[in-house]
Amino acid sequence: MNNNKKKTTLTPSQTRVVEYPYRPATTLKVIAGPGSGKTLTLLHKVRHLILSGQVRPDEILILSLTNKAVDTITCNLLSTFEEGNLYESIDNQLKLDELKEIVEQIGIYTIHGLANRVVIENEGIVTIIEENGWRGLLKLLPSDFWQRNRRSLNNNINGLTRQLQKILQEYKGRNDQKLDIGKNGQVIEKLVQIMNSGKVFTNDDLILKATQHLESPITLELDKTTMNVEGKEDEEGDASFTEKLLSKYKVVLIDEYQDLYPSLLPIIEKISKGKQLLMFGDTNQSIYGFLGDNEIVMKSLDNLHEKEKSETLHLYDNFRCTPEIISSANKIISNANHLHNTHSTAKDLILKPLSNYEPQVHEIDDPIDELETIVDQIIQHVCSGAKFSDIAILSRTNNHIQSIADHLTSYGIPFEKLTIQPDWINDIRIQFILDLMKMIMLSSRERLESINDGQHTHKWQSDFNVIVTLSSIKGIGNQSLQTLYSDCNREGISLWKYISEIPKSKWNPKISNKKKIEQYTTLLKPWIESEKIWQMDNPGEILKIIIDIVYQLDYDPLKFKTNQEMKKFRNNLEEMFKIMKLSKFNQPQDQCFVEWFLETCFEQSIIFHRAKLETETNPESLGSIKLSTIHSSKGLEFPIVILSNGPFGLSYPIDDKSLYVGMTRARTLLNIINTKHPNLSKPIKSKVALLSSSSPLETSPLLANKQFWEYYNNDLRRDISNLPSFDTNMARYKMLQTKFGINNGRSFSTLCSKTISLTKRFL
């Protein structure tokens, strides 16, 4: 522990929240604006509840909607306990191992992660449908489906999958089950049956299914100690996780309550009823309206307990943004005047000192100039003493983020995308590998059970994964897949059994490319019919077998068009292998390794990610720029934010709350490009990147602003004794211009992979 660490002093408003007493069946709502110390207050609240003896660590459950928010809480909980421990009397101080044991007992989950664990415990291997799954279901639709459905036919695969998701959601939401659903309804009913049989869920399905299991929890026959998902021993092994979720916890904390939407309500109400419910959030940052009305959720949660047992407290302070940034952001939201009045009248209000640097607003018409300006700003900041890891580039759409990523790649500037799920899981090639593993596992299990029991009890769970993997192979068309599935249903056997046991000569003539289907069965049959898959526990050996099968199938996405695409897949495959090795380390006894990995790979990935974060905090590293949509950046903060809405002529205004969220991610420096908002300051109009001007002091006074960079480094608690002068900064920048042709219109292909090494040499 660091005995030189400065003690965190809570503000009066934070202290009121932290010391609010524990009482069962009560609700406390904490309204906390951006940078108000919400997470810090939540962490200290947890510590106070435990150390004051009001509740035990294993009686506290913390929930959030995103992995990033859960990461932040998990990574900072131990340090909060460590810091507080330093200021306890010698007799009351705990050892580090004791502090770790306390923190590890606290339940910290995303809502979907918790639901996933409940469902897997009750049902075994399940599938959360991803891109490959939707594509497989699309192939089962008859050719006239879209015309009958009276939907505009969008040949773009992403557009079609979105329409199919919406149709399925509408179908499942019907109130009158006797409604005449027509021919298209029959098609959708068949898709729903496939998904149900295969235990295939959308995220909303997962929440509903978990809630059903919480309504009638099973009692598992377990030993006195059982293994949890992280491979640690749980006490009270005679109770299932589902039962513990209902009976063990006394306090439920929900982070970022404004992000909740109606389909999450059933599970939250079920878990929170009768407990102390603590909710932290800010309605001004409610930007997920497309998922449903947050006001409906809040009204229900406000009424969860008796009104006299509910209270609201506020955190008004701002420790994140400079006053200049928060002032600009407050002008955006519709209740800005109310907010200013509240802030001005709040007692003991704490704000950061002025930086004397206003957010910079730009208008840039040309798409290339817009991207060049972003690069130009990055280089200016780095030449002035910032790190790449200080900078985040935010935009409204994933497409624009991808165009920025491609542009940064051309300059060799390192970056990482912030996504909801780990990159390796988002890769459709990895999804195909996982689907193939599930198909082998499930088909093998179905075969063994039919041999041992003489009957099948799983309703052909393998069918969905056979459909998904077959449909991904080039040349196996929609009609072939529809005919195969129809024929296997008529025979009353699984799709795998049909294609592997019914002679090809007896297949329907409508089925084309029979040789490719036969190759598929030939490659997979040995692993399904032997018991090797149940016995293998070497991650490298298992992955090699699956990859060999994939390469022998005619799977188009593995025909790489660029080295960059191949490198990305290789990196994701390496990540998957590491997760498999971690799963092996955490594997319980007497459980098949492949089954354990498929059940827990997402949770294992989170464990791996958190361990990785702890090992990558090298203060000497320049790090990498963060790229994110505004929605994915929720709950995060960055020293420097470049908020771009795309080329001026092609972009349209960002809605107020999204713009407010994007602006308030910035801690010290904010650059805004093409947002078209009337309440922002007058924009700088640019045709080319900023420092192409012959007068750099006029176009970029920041390079010469030593006072600001002293403020910046002080704010980040960095050394300010050797800050470079303007001449040094400018010399660095011009050297980059000359070396790599920044702003000179040179081909991007001449710029690759060199900027970062040169910048490192500067710094």
Side-chain angles (χ1 to χ4, degrees):
M1 291 184 228
N2 181 10
N3 290 306
N4 295 319
K5 186 173 182 178
K6 184 179 178 182
K7 183 180 181 181
T8 299
T9 302
L10 298 176
T11 67
S13 59
Q14 291 172 337
T15 301
R16 283 191 288 273
V17 173
V18 169
E19 295 182 353
Y20 188 86
Y22 163 73
R23 287 192 291 263
T26 60
T27 301
L28 173 64
K29 184 193 294 184
V30 180
I31 299 176
S36 60
K38 170 182 65 65
T39 303
L40 177 74
T41 306
L42 186 153
L43 297 172
H44 279 271
K45 176 65 179 174
V46 171
R47 179 178 179 272
H48 180 74
L49 283 169
I50 294 169
L51 295 188
S52 63
Q54 297 179 74
V55 294
R56 300 196 312 265
D58 63 353
E59 294 173 332
I60 297 176
L61 176 66
I62 304 174
L63 297 175
S64 188
L65 203 61
T66 67
N67 289 307
K68 295 186 292 294
V70 167
D71 280 347
T72 301
I73 293 167
T74 303
C75 292
N76 291 306
L77 252 180
L78 180 60
S79 61
T80 301
F81 275 84
E82 284 186 278
E83 179 192 328
N85 196 50
L86 292 176
Y87 299 96
E88 297 285 349
S89 64
I90 298 296
D91 292 338
N92 290 331
Q93 284 191 2
L94 299 174
K95 295 179 181 178
L96 181 58
D97 288 345
E98 293 173 316
L99 295 176
K100 286 182 177 179
E101 186 178 352
I102 289 173
V103 170
E104 287 171 357
Q105 292 179 65
I106 300 167
I108 310 171
Y109 300 92
T110 64
I111 297 172
H112 286 95
L114 180 136
N116 187 61
R117 185 167 177 185
V118 169
V119 173
I120 285 176
E121 178 181 70
N122 287 269
E123 303 201 20
I125 295 175
V126 299
T127 297
I128 307 303
I129 190 166
E130 303 282 0
E131 183 178 347
N132 285 344
W134 289 115
R135 291 186 181 198
L137 291 181
L138 280 173
K139 286 204 171 187
L140 294 179
L141 298 178
S143 57
D144 61 346
F145 176 84
W146 295 109
Q147 287 84 352
R148 288 202 312 263
N149 201 65
R150 297 180 182 178
R151 305 261 175 161
S152 58
L153 185 59
N154 183 349
N155 289 323
N156 178 281
I157 190 70
N158 292 327
L160 289 174
T161 56
R162 283 194 295 269
Q163 289 188 51
L164 180 58
Q165 290 176 53
K166 187 174 181 180
I167 292 168
L168 272 169
Q169 186 178 15
E170 290 171 354
Y171 178 84
K172 291 179 180 179
R174 291 178 308 138
N175 293 323
D176 186 358
Q177 294 299 317
K178 296 181 180 179
L179 185 70
D180 181 14
I181 58 178
K183 194 171 181 180
N184 261 11
Q186 293 170 10
V187 172
I188 295 300
E189 176 67 29
K190 190 174 290 185
L191 296 188
V192 171
Q193 289 173 2
I194 293 170
M195 293 176 70
N196 290 342
S197 297
K199 297 181 183 178
V200 180
F201 303 127
T202 64
N203 282 319
D204 285 350
D205 293 335
L206 188 73
I207 295 294
L208 289 173
K209 182 64 72 172
T211 306
Q212 290 169 9
H213 288 302
L214 287 168
E215 294 286 351
S216 53
I218 61 170
T219 301
L220 299 178
E221 293 183 3
L222 302 173
D223 297 329
K224 289 185 179 179
T225 58
T226 184
M227 304 296 285
N228 66 19
V229 75
E230 299 185 19
K232 298 170 187 172
E233 288 187 351
D234 280 338
E235 295 181 358
E236 306 173 32
D238 54 338
S240 68
F241 175 76
T242 310
E243 290 176 308
K244 293 177 186 177
L245 193 58
L246 292 170
S247 60
K248 180 174 68 172
Y249 295 111
K250 292 183 177 179
V251 177
V252 177
L253 295 98
I254 297 179
D255 188 31
E256 306 285 7
Y257 67 72
Q258 76 282 346
D259 295 340
L260 301 176
Y261 46 90
S263 62
L264 300 175
L265 190 56
I267 193 169
I268 294 172
E269 288 182 321
K270 188 65 183 175
I271 293 169
S272 305
K273 183 70 173 176
K275 304 174 175 66
Q276 184 173 57
L277 175 62
L278 307 175
M279 299 186 292
F280 292 74
D282 174 21
T283 53
N284 287 325
Q285 298 183 67
S286 178
I287 59 174
Y288 293 104
F290 55 90
L291 295 173
D293 190 351
N294 176 257
E295 289 185 11
I296 294 173
V297 182
M298 294 316 302
K299 185 175 181 180
S300 295
L301 293 180
D302 286 343
N303 295 326
L304 186 66
H305 299 126
E306 297 174 11
K307 285 191 176 181
E308 58 269 22
K309 293 184 178 181
S310 299
E311 192 166 343
T312 298
L313 297 177
H314 293 77
L315 301 180
Y316 293 118
D317 310 302
N318 193 293
F319 300 93
R320 178 193 298 163
C321 307
T322 64
E324 292 88 347
I325 292 173
I326 199 64
S327 176
S328 293
N330 286 343
K331 294 174 184 176
I332 300 300
I333 52 179
S334 57
N335 61 343
N337 290 332
H338 166 71
L339 189 70
H340 284 308
N341 292 336
T342 303
H343 274 204
S344 62
T345 58
K347 295 179 180 179
D348 307 310
L349 182 65
I350 295 175
L351 298 173
K352 289 169 65 172
L354 291 165
S355 70
N356 296 312
Y357 194 82
E358 296 288 338
Q360 300 297 294
V361 183
H362 308 279
E363 285 183 4
I364 305 167
D365 291 327
D366 185 80
I368 297 299
D369 283 349
E370 182 246 354
L371 293 172
E372 285 286 272
T373 297
I374 290 173
V375 171
D376 194 76
Q377 289 177 348
I378 291 169
I379 300 304
Q380 289 181 56
H381 301 332
V382 173
C383 286
S384 299
K387 298 181 179 182
F388 287 128
S389 57
D390 293 349
I391 304 170
I393 303 174
L394 309 181
S395 186
R396 188 183 61 246
T397 68
N398 280 307
N399 285 340
H400 190 225
I401 287 296
Q402 185 57 50
S403 68
I404 294 170
D406 294 340
H407 202 74
L408 295 185
T409 299
S410 72
Y411 277 100
I413 296 175
F415 65 87
E416 61 176 301
K417 289 184 182 178
L418 303 180
T419 55
I420 294 175
Q421 292 193 116
D423 282 346
W424 73 276
I425 290 180
N426 288 328
D427 191 323
I428 61 167
R429 303 167 186 86
I430 301 294
Q431 289 174 17
F432 181 77
I433 291 169
L434 290 172
D435 285 329
L436 207 58
M437 290 176 72
K438 284 182 182 177
M439 182 266 163
I440 294 171
M441 186 75 209
L442 294 171
S443 297
S444 178
R445 185 171 70 184
E446 288 167 358
R447 180 180 177 277
L448 287 172
E449 289 180 351
S450 64
I451 292 172
N452 295 334
D453 302 334
Q455 59 182 354
H456 194 275
T457 58
H458 286 275
K459 300 180 181 178
W460 319 124
Q461 189 179 350
S462 64
D463 279 359
F464 176 79
N465 295 101
V466 175
I467 290 167
V468 170
T469 49
L470 266 180
S471 68
S472 299
I473 298 171
K474 188 177 181 181
I476 299 180
N478 296 18
Q479 188 180 56
S480 295
L481 210 57
Q482 291 166 24
T483 304
L484 278 171
Y485 191 66
S486 177
D487 290 349
C488 79
N489 279 335
R490 188 171 55 251
E491 294 289 334
I493 59 177
S494 71
L495 181 53
W496 167 253
K497 190 168 185 177
Y498 186 90
I499 63 176
S500 62
E501 295 185 9
I502 302 296
K504 187 174 63 173
S505 59
K506 294 185 178 181
W507 290 2
N508 195 307
K510 293 180 181 179
I511 299 170
S512 59
N513 264 322
K514 293 179 181 179
K515 284 187 177 180
K516 285 200 172 181
I517 299 172
E518 189 176 37
Q519 181 194 24
Y520 174 90
T521 57
T522 301
L523 287 169
L524 296 172
K525 198 169 185 177
W527 301 105
I528 291 173
E529 295 192 349
S530 71
E531 295 185 11
K532 286 185 179 179
I533 196 72
W534 297 93
Q535 300 164 357
M536 295 175 68
D537 62 358
N538 184 316
E541 184 181 346
I542 294 168
L543 195 55
K544 183 180 184 303
I545 290 167
I546 300 297
I547 293 296
D548 285 344
I549 293 172
V550 172
Y551 272 109
Q552 291 180 71
L553 297 171
D554 194 5
Y555 179 57
D556 248 11
L558 280 183
K559 298 173 183 177
F560 301 108
K561 297 176 182 177
T562 64
N563 287 334
Q564 182 183 346
E565 193 178 334
M566 182 170 63
K567 183 180 179 182
K568 182 179 179 181
F569 170 68
R570 186 175 65 238
N571 291 340
N572 289 334
L573 190 62
E574 288 175 357
E575 189 94 342
M576 178 182 173
F577 179 53
K578 291 173 183 175
I579 303 304
M580 291 181 73
K581 289 198 292 184
L582 178 62
S583 300
K584 173 59 186 170
F585 177 77
N586 290 332
Q587 180 189 357
Q589 293 180 349
D590 303 323
Q591 182 168 1
C592 168
F593 169 72
V594 176
E595 187 173 27
W596 169 252
F597 168 69
L598 291 173
E599 285 182 359
T600 65
C601 62
F602 186 76
E603 287 83 359
Q604 301 288 351
S605 185
I606 293 171
I607 297 167
F608 177 81
H609 171 66
R610 289 171 186 165
K612 191 176 178 183
L613 285 177
E614 292 177 7
T615 60
E616 289 184 348
T617 54
N618 179 7
E620 300 300 321
S621 171
L622 286 174
S624 56
I625 288 167
K626 308 300 185 291
L627 302 183
S628 176
T629 61
I630 293 172
H631 286 81
S632 292
S633 72
K634 275 280 284 94
L636 302 177
E637 66 174 68
F638 313 93
I640 301 171
V641 166
I642 301 172
L643 177 57
S644 176
N645 194 32
F648 186 69
L650 304 177
S651 58
Y652 54 89
I654 303 176
D655 67 276
D656 287 359
K657 287 187 176 180
S658 294
L659 181 55
Y660 177 74
V661 167
M663 292 174 70
T664 54
R665 298 313 94 198
R667 182 182 176 105
T668 314
L669 186 57
L670 174 63
N671 291 306
I672 305 172
I673 302 174
N674 296 342
T675 55
K676 297 183 179 179
H677 198 285
N679 291 349
L680 288 174
S681 59
K682 186 176 180 181
I684 303 168
K685 293 200 174 185
S686 305
K687 291 185 178 179
V688 292
L690 299 181
L691 285 193
S692 59
S693 167
S694 58
S695 179
L697 273 172
E698 293 179 7
T699 53
S700 184
L702 193 59
L703 274 170
N705 195 335
K706 189 172 183 179
Q707 181 182 2
F708 171 80
W709 289 108
E710 285 181 354
Y711 178 99
Y712 178 90
N713 284 281
N714 272 323
D715 189 49
L716 298 178
R717 298 181 181 178
R718 293 178 184 168
D719 182 22
I720 63 169
S721 58
N722 293 310
L723 288 180
S725 65
F726 166 70
D727 290 340
T728 303
N729 292 345
M730 199 62 211
R732 291 171 170 175
Y733 179 81
K734 286 187 173 180
M735 189 179 221
L736 284 173
Q737 279 189 313
T738 303
K739 182 77 176 177
F740 298 113
I742 296 174
N743 304 333
N744 291 337
R746 290 176 60 187
S747 168
F748 295 154
S749 62
T750 66
L751 309 174
C752 295
S753 305
K754 297 178 181 178
T755 304
I756 183 172
S757 59
L758 187 64
T759 309
K760 282 181 177 179
R761 197 183 317 150
F762 283 152
L763 300 179

